[in-house]
Amino acid sequence: MVDLPDAILLRSADPPDGYLAAFDEVGLRAVCEPVLSFAFPRQDAFTDRLTRRADYEGVVATSPRVAAALGRAFEEQEALAQAWRGAPVYAVGPKTAGRIRDVGLDPKGADAGSADALAARIIDDAPTAPLLFLCGNRRRDTIPRRLRDADIPFEEMVVYETHPRTDLTLPSSDGSAWLVFFSPSGIDAVEASGTEALDTYRLAAIGPTTGGALEDAGHGVEAVADTPSPDGLVSAIYEETEG
């Protein structure tokens, strides 16, 4: 019989991993299972776009992969990092904000908690020059739609591609283990793998966007983190586990 953990986190581990540590602190054993792979096929075009610093008021960074793309560009041309230093970089969530800091930029709005709340923060700031909206090929429409509705100028550029793993396998649960989704793309990866184990798990989501995507796909969600962070996720799951 398979020795199941208390929770399977559908994400790559990031040692030292804050999510694994947060689960361990409350006596729950969690493991990470990556469901996605990432590619950066437009790096040269992206680097060229960054040379137009004067055209933009700031950046919207939708995920840690955007920070990775920025880091690659800054490694190729060190002057770019200096040019963008001090520019507002609106980051969705604390993890993305941390990665933005790692590449030498200053994130804003990391405490917003969701794409919708971050869009509201941008609208309140009322930028007059265009923002450079950096995203992946599977981005949601929340931020672009809100910015368009508010007449906030922006230019969108896809800087990475997300591809679901097709070799994912999940053991059947006895109904007590948690399966935790960190993005709508993770749902696609699980479905693409052909696994039949999904209904044997208790399902949790890192935030309302992912939770809504699970419900749209016909799955019940028992726990949704109030904030997209280790503590927010563990609190939501621990409350349901103990309750």
Side-chain angles (χ1 to χ4, degrees):
M1 183 176 178
V2 176
D3 181 22
L4 277 172
D6 296 299
I8 296 177
L9 313 183
L10 297 175
R11 60 186 290 275
S12 298
D14 189 17
D17 195 276
Y19 284 92
L20 297 181
F23 274 92
D24 185 63
E25 285 180 7
V26 297
L28 296 176
R29 186 169 69 90
V31 298
C32 291
E33 180 65 48
V35 293
L36 305 173
S37 61
F38 303 99
F40 300 86
R42 302 176 182 85
Q43 195 68 37
D44 289 344
F46 178 42
T47 300
D48 183 66
R49 181 72 67 91
L50 289 174
T51 63
R52 295 162 44 193
R53 169 67 186 94
D55 293 347
Y56 304 103
E57 184 157 332
V59 170
V60 180
T62 58
S63 78
R65 270 69 62 187
V66 167
L70 285 165
R72 288 167 175 245
F74 293 164
E75 287 176 3
E76 293 175 1
Q77 295 191 29
E78 187 174 339
L80 287 180
Q82 293 295 331
W84 284 91
R85 196 151 286 142
V89 181
Y90 296 94
V92 180
K95 182 175 181 180
T96 300
R99 297 295 175 83
I100 290 296
R101 290 189 192 94
D102 290 344
V103 299
L105 301 180
D106 299 320
K108 296 187 64 176
D111 58 341
S114 69
D116 198 59
L118 183 66
R121 180 76 59 85
I122 296 171
I123 292 167
D124 285 344
D125 286 353
T128 54
L131 295 169
L132 187 55
F133 177 79
L134 304 177
C135 60
N137 61 317
R138 303 169 68 87
R139 62 97 170 140
R140 306 282 284 187
D141 195 46
T142 303
I143 293 177
R145 174 176 47 78
R146 290 287 307 276
L147 297 185
R148 283 192 295 267
D149 290 347
D151 293 325
I152 301 297
F154 69 95
E155 292 182 17
E156 178 177 341
M157 185 173 190
V158 174
V159 295
Y160 71 93
E161 293 181 352
T162 302
H163 303 284
R165 281 179 55 192
T166 57
D167 60 346
L168 176 68
T169 57
L170 296 173
S172 293
S173 165
D174 61 2
S176 63
W178 289 90
L179 192 61
V180 185
F181 290 82
F182 285 76
S183 70
S185 296
I187 303 167
D188 296 338
V190 171
E191 292 179 344
S193 72
T195 180
E196 298 179 357
L198 197 58
D199 292 339
T200 68
Y201 284 90
R202 304 178 72 178
L203 303 187
I206 190 61
T209 297
T210 301
L214 277 165
E215 291 176 347
D216 290 344
H219 304 296
V221 184
E222 292 190 55
V224 177
D226 288 336
T227 58
S229 67
D231 288 342
L233 177 63
V234 170
S235 293
I237 287 179
Y238 189 74
E239 180 177 335
E240 292 295 329
T241 301
E242 293 300 297

